[in-house]
Amino acid sequence: MSDGFQGMDVPQARAAAHQMDGGAAQVKNLVNQVTALLGSVTWTGEDARRFQQDWHGAFQPQLRGAMTVLEEKARELRERAEAQENKSAGR
């Protein structure tokens, strides 16, 4: 911002944290849905084994990792918003 503003817009930060939490929940739901779908598909053989191995061994953990990072960063953003609010209030 060019108007001399320094610090954080606390309501915007809290709204962003809320959206990040929502994104993490969407990733979690997607992982659960895809895992359930894959469990319901009748498929045998080497291709099936490889596909399941890719999902459970790589893709699912990567998505869960992204979910965790979103949750952690949302928490950090809320903490920083609270710190900014306290500092602005002289606490």
Side-chain angles (χ1 to χ4, degrees), residues 8-44:
M8 174 189 285
D9 183 315
V10 172
Q12 281 183 340
R14 287 189 173 130
H18 182 73
Q19 288 180 327
M20 291 167 74
D21 282 331
Q26 288 177 333
V27 171
K28 180 180 181 178
N29 287 337
L30 176 65
V31 168
N32 291 339
Q33 289 174 352
V34 170
T35 300
L37 281 170
L38 293 177
S40 70
V41 172
T42 303
W43 188 14
T44 60

mmCIF file of all heavy atoms in Angstrom, residues 8-44:
data_model
loop_
_atom_site.group_PDB
_atom_site.id
_atom_site.type_symbol
_atom_site.label_atom_id
_atom_site.label_comp_id
_atom_site.label_asym_id
_atom_site.label_seq_id
_atom_site.Cartn_x
_atom_site.Cartn_y
_atom_site.Cartn_z
ATOM 1 N N MET A 8 -0.567 -5.000 9.474
ATOM 2 C CA MET A 8 -1.457 -5.989 8.875
ATOM 3 C C MET A 8 -2.898 -5.514 8.971
ATOM 4 O O MET A 8 -3.311 -4.972 9.991
ATOM 5 C CB MET A 8 -1.300 -7.306 9.644
ATOM 6 C CG MET A 8 -2.253 -8.394 9.250
ATOM 7 S SD MET A 8 -2.188 -9.821 10.370
ATOM 8 C CE MET A 8 -0.664 -10.571 9.850
ATOM 9 N N ASP A 9 -3.637 -5.774 7.926
ATOM 10 C CA ASP A 9 -5.082 -5.556 7.985
ATOM 11 C C ASP A 9 -5.655 -6.793 8.659
ATOM 12 O O ASP A 9 -5.776 -7.861 8.047
ATOM 13 C CB ASP A 9 -5.635 -5.368 6.572
ATOM 14 C CG ASP A 9 -7.117 -5.061 6.571
ATOM 15 O OD1 ASP A 9 -7.876 -5.741 7.311
ATOM 16 O OD2 ASP A 9 -7.521 -4.159 5.822
ATOM 17 N N VAL A 10 -5.970 -6.668 9.932
ATOM 18 C CA VAL A 10 -6.365 -7.816 10.750
ATOM 19 C C VAL A 10 -7.611 -8.517 10.217
ATOM 20 O O VAL A 10 -7.622 -9.746 10.094
ATOM 21 C CB VAL A 10 -6.524 -7.395 12.238
ATOM 22 C CG1 VAL A 10 -7.108 -8.514 13.075
ATOM 23 C CG2 VAL A 10 -5.162 -6.948 12.790
ATOM 24 N N PRO A 11 -8.679 -7.805 9.872
ATOM 25 C CA PRO A 11 -9.845 -8.512 9.326
ATOM 26 C C PRO A 11 -9.536 -9.277 8.040
ATOM 27 O O PRO A 11 -10.020 -10.398 7.845
ATOM 28 C CB PRO A 11 -10.864 -7.394 9.079
ATOM 29 C CG PRO A 11 -10.492 -6.315 10.040
ATOM 30 C CD PRO A 11 -8.989 -6.377 10.110
ATOM 31 N N GLN A 12 -8.708 -8.697 7.177
ATOM 32 C CA GLN A 12 -8.331 -9.405 5.949
ATOM 33 C C GLN A 12 -7.525 -10.660 6.272
ATOM 34 O O GLN A 12 -7.720 -11.702 5.650
ATOM 35 C CB GLN A 12 -7.498 -8.500 5.039
ATOM 36 C CG GLN A 12 -8.291 -7.510 4.252
ATOM 37 C CD GLN A 12 -7.410 -6.697 3.313
ATOM 38 O OE1 GLN A 12 -6.195 -6.611 3.492
ATOM 39 N NE2 GLN A 12 -8.025 -6.081 2.331
ATOM 40 N N ALA A 13 -6.618 -10.556 7.226
ATOM 41 C CA ALA A 13 -5.797 -11.708 7.606
ATOM 42 C C ALA A 13 -6.669 -12.818 8.179
ATOM 43 O O ALA A 13 -6.477 -13.994 7.863
ATOM 44 C CB ALA A 13 -4.733 -11.296 8.617
ATOM 45 N N ARG A 14 -7.613 -12.447 9.012
ATOM 46 C CA ARG A 14 -8.507 -13.465 9.594
ATOM 47 C C ARG A 14 -9.385 -14.100 8.511
ATOM 48 O O ARG A 14 -9.633 -15.309 8.542
ATOM 49 C CB ARG A 14 -9.344 -12.847 10.704
ATOM 50 C CG ARG A 14 -8.515 -12.572 11.937
ATOM 51 C CD ARG A 14 -9.356 -12.164 13.123
ATOM 52 N NE ARG A 14 -8.513 -12.088 14.306
ATOM 53 C CZ ARG A 14 -8.470 -11.053 15.132
ATOM 54 N NH1 ARG A 14 -9.259 -10.000 14.926
ATOM 55 N NH2 ARG A 14 -7.681 -11.068 16.188
ATOM 56 N N ALA A 15 -9.835 -13.304 7.564
ATOM 57 C CA ALA A 15 -10.641 -13.851 6.470
ATOM 58 C C ALA A 15 -9.800 -14.797 5.613
ATOM 59 O O ALA A 15 -10.278 -15.862 5.203
ATOM 60 C CB ALA A 15 -11.201 -12.713 5.614
ATOM 61 N N ALA A 16 -8.554 -14.432 5.368
ATOM 62 C CA ALA A 16 -7.671 -15.297 4.591
ATOM 63 C C ALA A 16 -7.420 -16.609 5.333
ATOM 64 O O ALA A 16 -7.427 -17.684 4.724
ATOM 65 C CB ALA A 16 -6.348 -14.586 4.304
ATOM 66 N N ALA A 17 -7.203 -16.530 6.635
ATOM 67 C CA ALA A 17 -6.991 -17.741 7.442
ATOM 68 C C ALA A 17 -8.219 -18.641 7.371
ATOM 69 O O ALA A 17 -8.100 -19.867 7.244
ATOM 70 C CB ALA A 17 -6.669 -17.369 8.887
ATOM 71 N N HIS A 18 -9.380 -18.039 7.427
ATOM 72 C CA HIS A 18 -10.627 -18.807 7.334
ATOM 73 C C HIS A 18 -10.725 -19.511 5.977
ATOM 74 O O HIS A 18 -11.108 -20.682 5.898
ATOM 75 C CB HIS A 18 -11.819 -17.871 7.558
ATOM 76 C CG HIS A 18 -13.138 -18.557 7.520
ATOM 77 N ND1 HIS A 18 -13.592 -19.389 8.528
ATOM 78 C CD2 HIS A 18 -14.109 -18.545 6.568
ATOM 79 C CE1 HIS A 18 -14.780 -19.864 8.191
ATOM 80 N NE2 HIS A 18 -15.118 -19.365 7.023
ATOM 81 N N GLN A 19 -10.372 -18.808 4.912
ATOM 82 C CA GLN A 19 -10.401 -19.405 3.573
ATOM 83 C C GLN A 19 -9.375 -20.527 3.456
ATOM 84 O O GLN A 19 -9.630 -21.555 2.814
ATOM 85 C CB GLN A 19 -10.156 -18.348 2.505
ATOM 86 C CG GLN A 19 -11.331 -17.414 2.329
ATOM 87 C CD GLN A 19 -11.068 -16.373 1.257
ATOM 88 O OE1 GLN A 19 -9.948 -15.918 1.053
ATOM 89 N NE2 GLN A 19 -12.128 -15.977 0.570
ATOM 90 N N MET A 20 -8.215 -20.351 4.064
ATOM 91 C CA MET A 20 -7.191 -21.396 4.033
ATOM 92 C C MET A 20 -7.673 -22.644 4.769
ATOM 93 O O MET A 20 -7.455 -23.768 4.309
ATOM 94 C CB MET A 20 -5.891 -20.874 4.639
ATOM 95 C CG MET A 20 -5.229 -19.817 3.769
ATOM 96 S SD MET A 20 -3.917 -18.913 4.615
ATOM 97 C CE MET A 20 -2.635 -20.166 4.647
ATOM 98 N N ASP A 21 -8.338 -22.446 5.903
ATOM 99 C CA ASP A 21 -8.927 -23.592 6.619
ATOM 100 C C ASP A 21 -9.957 -24.296 5.755
ATOM 101 O O ASP A 21 -10.019 -25.526 5.708
ATOM 102 C CB ASP A 21 -9.576 -23.139 7.932
ATOM 103 C CG ASP A 21 -8.564 -22.886 9.028
ATOM 104 O OD1 ASP A 21 -7.486 -23.515 9.036
ATOM 105 O OD2 ASP A 21 -8.866 -22.053 9.911
ATOM 106 N N GLY A 22 -10.767 -23.509 5.036
ATOM 107 C CA GLY A 22 -11.754 -24.094 4.131
ATOM 108 C C GLY A 22 -11.097 -24.878 3.010
ATOM 109 O O GLY A 22 -11.562 -25.959 2.640
ATOM 110 N N GLY A 23 -10.008 -24.354 2.482
ATOM 111 C CA GLY A 23 -9.270 -25.073 1.447
ATOM 112 C C GLY A 23 -8.705 -26.381 1.962
ATOM 113 O O GLY A 23 -8.743 -27.408 1.274
ATOM 114 N N ALA A 24 -8.177 -26.360 3.179
ATOM 115 C CA ALA A 24 -7.648 -27.588 3.785
ATOM 116 C C ALA A 24 -8.756 -28.623 3.943
ATOM 117 O O ALA A 24 -8.555 -29.808 3.666
ATOM 118 C CB ALA A 24 -7.002 -27.279 5.134
ATOM 119 N N ALA A 25 -9.928 -28.172 4.353
ATOM 120 C CA ALA A 25 -11.062 -29.095 4.511
ATOM 121 C C ALA A 25 -11.477 -29.677 3.157
ATOM 122 O O ALA A 25 -11.825 -30.859 3.065
ATOM 123 C CB ALA A 25 -12.237 -28.371 5.171
ATOM 124 N N GLN A 26 -11.428 -28.857 2.119
ATOM 125 C CA GLN A 26 -11.776 -29.355 0.787
ATOM 126 C C GLN A 26 -10.773 -30.406 0.313
ATOM 127 O O GLN A 26 -11.167 -31.418 -0.278
ATOM 128 C CB GLN A 26 -11.831 -28.201 -0.215
ATOM 129 C CG GLN A 26 -13.026 -27.305 -0.031
ATOM 130 C CD GLN A 26 -13.016 -26.132 -1.003
ATOM 131 O OE1 GLN A 26 -11.976 -25.679 -1.466
ATOM 132 N NE2 GLN A 26 -14.210 -25.633 -1.297
ATOM 133 N N VAL A 27 -9.496 -30.180 0.577
ATOM 134 C CA VAL A 27 -8.477 -31.165 0.200
ATOM 135 C C VAL A 27 -8.719 -32.468 0.959
ATOM 136 O O VAL A 27 -8.667 -33.556 0.376
ATOM 137 C CB VAL A 27 -7.053 -30.629 0.459
ATOM 138 C CG1 VAL A 27 -6.010 -31.723 0.274
ATOM 139 C CG2 VAL A 27 -6.748 -29.441 -0.448
ATOM 140 N N LYS A 28 -9.010 -32.357 2.254
ATOM 141 C CA LYS A 28 -9.275 -33.549 3.066
ATOM 142 C C LYS A 28 -10.464 -34.319 2.507
ATOM 143 O O LYS A 28 -10.410 -35.552 2.364
ATOM 144 C CB LYS A 28 -9.537 -33.149 4.512
ATOM 145 C CG LYS A 28 -9.812 -34.327 5.423
ATOM 146 C CD LYS A 28 -10.056 -33.877 6.849
ATOM 147 C CE LYS A 28 -10.308 -35.058 7.759
ATOM 148 N NZ LYS A 28 -10.505 -34.635 9.151
ATOM 149 N N ASN A 29 -11.537 -33.614 2.178
ATOM 150 C CA ASN A 29 -12.727 -34.272 1.617
ATOM 151 C C ASN A 29 -12.408 -34.939 0.281
ATOM 152 O O ASN A 29 -12.860 -36.057 0.017
ATOM 153 C CB ASN A 29 -13.867 -33.270 1.445
ATOM 154 C CG ASN A 29 -14.480 -32.861 2.762
ATOM 155 O OD1 ASN A 29 -14.384 -33.574 3.760
ATOM 156 N ND2 ASN A 29 -15.091 -31.695 2.790
ATOM 157 N N LEU A 30 -11.625 -34.266 -0.547
ATOM 158 C CA LEU A 30 -11.247 -34.835 -1.838
ATOM 159 C C LEU A 30 -10.452 -36.122 -1.654
ATOM 160 O O LEU A 30 -10.720 -37.130 -2.310
ATOM 161 C CB LEU A 30 -10.438 -33.821 -2.644
ATOM 162 C CG LEU A 30 -9.890 -34.304 -3.978
ATOM 163 C CD1 LEU A 30 -11.030 -34.628 -4.935
ATOM 164 C CD2 LEU A 30 -8.962 -33.267 -4.569
ATOM 165 N N VAL A 31 -9.472 -36.092 -0.759
ATOM 166 C CA VAL A 31 -8.663 -37.291 -0.499
ATOM 167 C C VAL A 31 -9.558 -38.431 -0.035
ATOM 168 O O VAL A 31 -9.432 -39.570 -0.510
ATOM 169 C CB VAL A 31 -7.557 -36.996 0.533
ATOM 170 C CG1 VAL A 31 -6.905 -38.277 1.038
ATOM 171 C CG2 VAL A 31 -6.501 -36.073 -0.070
ATOM 172 N N ASN A 32 -10.460 -38.145 0.879
ATOM 173 C CA ASN A 32 -11.357 -39.189 1.395
ATOM 174 C C ASN A 32 -12.269 -39.736 0.298
ATOM 175 O O ASN A 32 -12.488 -40.948 0.214
ATOM 176 C CB ASN A 32 -12.182 -38.661 2.568
ATOM 177 C CG ASN A 32 -11.337 -38.398 3.794
ATOM 178 O OD1 ASN A 32 -10.235 -38.933 3.941
ATOM 179 N ND2 ASN A 32 -11.828 -37.565 4.682
ATOM 180 N N GLN A 33 -12.784 -38.856 -0.549
ATOM 181 C CA GLN A 33 -13.666 -39.290 -1.630
ATOM 182 C C GLN A 33 -12.924 -40.152 -2.649
ATOM 183 O O GLN A 33 -13.425 -41.203 -3.062
ATOM 184 C CB GLN A 33 -14.295 -38.087 -2.322
ATOM 185 C CG GLN A 33 -15.335 -37.378 -1.492
ATOM 186 C CD GLN A 33 -15.823 -36.094 -2.158
ATOM 187 O OE1 GLN A 33 -15.289 -35.650 -3.175
ATOM 188 N NE2 GLN A 33 -16.824 -35.479 -1.556
ATOM 189 N N VAL A 34 -11.749 -39.714 -3.050
ATOM 190 C CA VAL A 34 -10.988 -40.477 -4.040
ATOM 191 C C VAL A 34 -10.567 -41.820 -3.460
ATOM 192 O O VAL A 34 -10.655 -42.854 -4.134
ATOM 193 C CB VAL A 34 -9.760 -39.674 -4.540
ATOM 194 C CG1 VAL A 34 -8.845 -40.540 -5.378
ATOM 195 C CG2 VAL A 34 -10.225 -38.452 -5.331
ATOM 196 N N THR A 35 -10.135 -41.824 -2.204
ATOM 197 C CA THR A 35 -9.748 -43.085 -1.555
ATOM 198 C C THR A 35 -10.931 -44.047 -1.520
ATOM 199 O O THR A 35 -10.779 -45.239 -1.833
ATOM 200 C CB THR A 35 -9.212 -42.817 -0.140
ATOM 201 O OG1 THR A 35 -8.059 -41.961 -0.245
ATOM 202 C CG2 THR A 35 -8.806 -44.101 0.553
ATOM 203 N N ALA A 36 -12.109 -43.550 -1.176
ATOM 204 C CA ALA A 36 -13.304 -44.398 -1.154
ATOM 205 C C ALA A 36 -13.654 -44.890 -2.562
ATOM 206 O O ALA A 36 -14.002 -46.068 -2.745
ATOM 207 C CB ALA A 36 -14.483 -43.634 -0.553
ATOM 208 N N LEU A 37 -13.559 -44.011 -3.541
ATOM 209 C CA LEU A 37 -13.844 -44.412 -4.919
ATOM 210 C C LEU A 37 -12.893 -45.504 -5.380
ATOM 211 O O LEU A 37 -13.313 -46.497 -5.976
ATOM 212 C CB LEU A 37 -13.724 -43.216 -5.864
ATOM 213 C CG LEU A 37 -14.894 -42.258 -5.893
ATOM 214 C CD1 LEU A 37 -14.534 -41.007 -6.688
ATOM 215 C CD2 LEU A 37 -16.116 -42.926 -6.489
ATOM 216 N N LEU A 38 -11.619 -45.334 -5.103
ATOM 217 C CA LEU A 38 -10.639 -46.340 -5.509
ATOM 218 C C LEU A 38 -10.887 -47.671 -4.813
ATOM 219 O O LEU A 38 -10.669 -48.730 -5.404
ATOM 220 C CB LEU A 38 -9.221 -45.853 -5.228
ATOM 221 C CG LEU A 38 -8.760 -44.667 -6.067
ATOM 222 C CD1 LEU A 38 -7.363 -44.237 -5.652
ATOM 223 C CD2 LEU A 38 -8.808 -44.987 -7.549
ATOM 224 N N GLY A 39 -11.360 -47.604 -3.583
ATOM 225 C CA GLY A 39 -11.670 -48.831 -2.856
ATOM 226 C C GLY A 39 -12.888 -49.548 -3.402
ATOM 227 O O GLY A 39 -13.063 -50.749 -3.188
ATOM 228 N N SER A 40 -13.736 -48.823 -4.120
ATOM 229 C CA SER A 40 -14.966 -49.430 -4.634
ATOM 230 C C SER A 40 -14.823 -49.956 -6.068
ATOM 231 O O SER A 40 -15.729 -50.616 -6.572
ATOM 232 C CB SER A 40 -16.107 -48.418 -4.575
ATOM 233 O OG SER A 40 -15.909 -47.380 -5.523
ATOM 234 N N VAL A 41 -13.701 -49.651 -6.712
ATOM 235 C CA VAL A 41 -13.489 -50.084 -8.096
ATOM 236 C C VAL A 41 -12.949 -51.514 -8.108
ATOM 237 O O VAL A 41 -11.981 -51.824 -7.433
ATOM 238 C CB VAL A 41 -12.497 -49.142 -8.817
ATOM 239 C CG1 VAL A 41 -12.126 -49.684 -10.187
ATOM 240 C CG2 VAL A 41 -13.078 -47.744 -8.932
ATOM 241 N N THR A 42 -13.595 -52.367 -8.883
ATOM 242 C CA THR A 42 -13.094 -53.729 -9.068
ATOM 243 C C THR A 42 -12.023 -53.677 -10.143
ATOM 244 O O THR A 42 -12.296 -53.362 -11.306
ATOM 245 C CB THR A 42 -14.239 -54.673 -9.491
ATOM 246 O OG1 THR A 42 -15.262 -54.617 -8.508
ATOM 247 C CG2 THR A 42 -13.742 -56.081 -9.653
ATOM 248 N N TRP A 43 -10.795 -53.960 -9.704
ATOM 249 C CA TRP A 43 -9.664 -53.868 -10.625
ATOM 250 C C TRP A 43 -8.537 -54.699 -10.044
ATOM 251 O O TRP A 43 -8.149 -54.502 -8.892
ATOM 252 C CB TRP A 43 -9.252 -52.411 -10.777
ATOM 253 C CG TRP A 43 -8.217 -52.099 -11.830
ATOM 254 C CD1 TRP A 43 -7.797 -52.901 -12.838
ATOM 255 C CD2 TRP A 43 -7.493 -50.872 -11.963
ATOM 256 N NE1 TRP A 43 -6.851 -52.258 -13.609
ATOM 257 C CE2 TRP A 43 -6.649 -50.995 -13.082
ATOM 258 C CE3 TRP A 43 -7.480 -49.686 -11.260
ATOM 259 C CZ2 TRP A 43 -5.796 -49.989 -13.511
ATOM 260 C CZ3 TRP A 43 -6.628 -48.679 -11.681
ATOM 261 C CH2 TRP A 43 -5.799 -48.824 -12.802
ATOM 262 N N THR A 44 -8.034 -55.626 -10.812
ATOM 263 C CA THR A 44 -6.943 -56.477 -10.353
ATOM 264 C C THR A 44 -5.812 -56.436 -11.367
ATOM 265 O O THR A 44 -5.986 -55.976 -12.490
ATOM 266 C CB THR A 44 -7.411 -57.941 -10.157
ATOM 267 O OG1 THR A 44 -7.897 -58.433 -11.408
ATOM 268 C CG2 THR A 44 -8.486 -58.047 -9.097
#
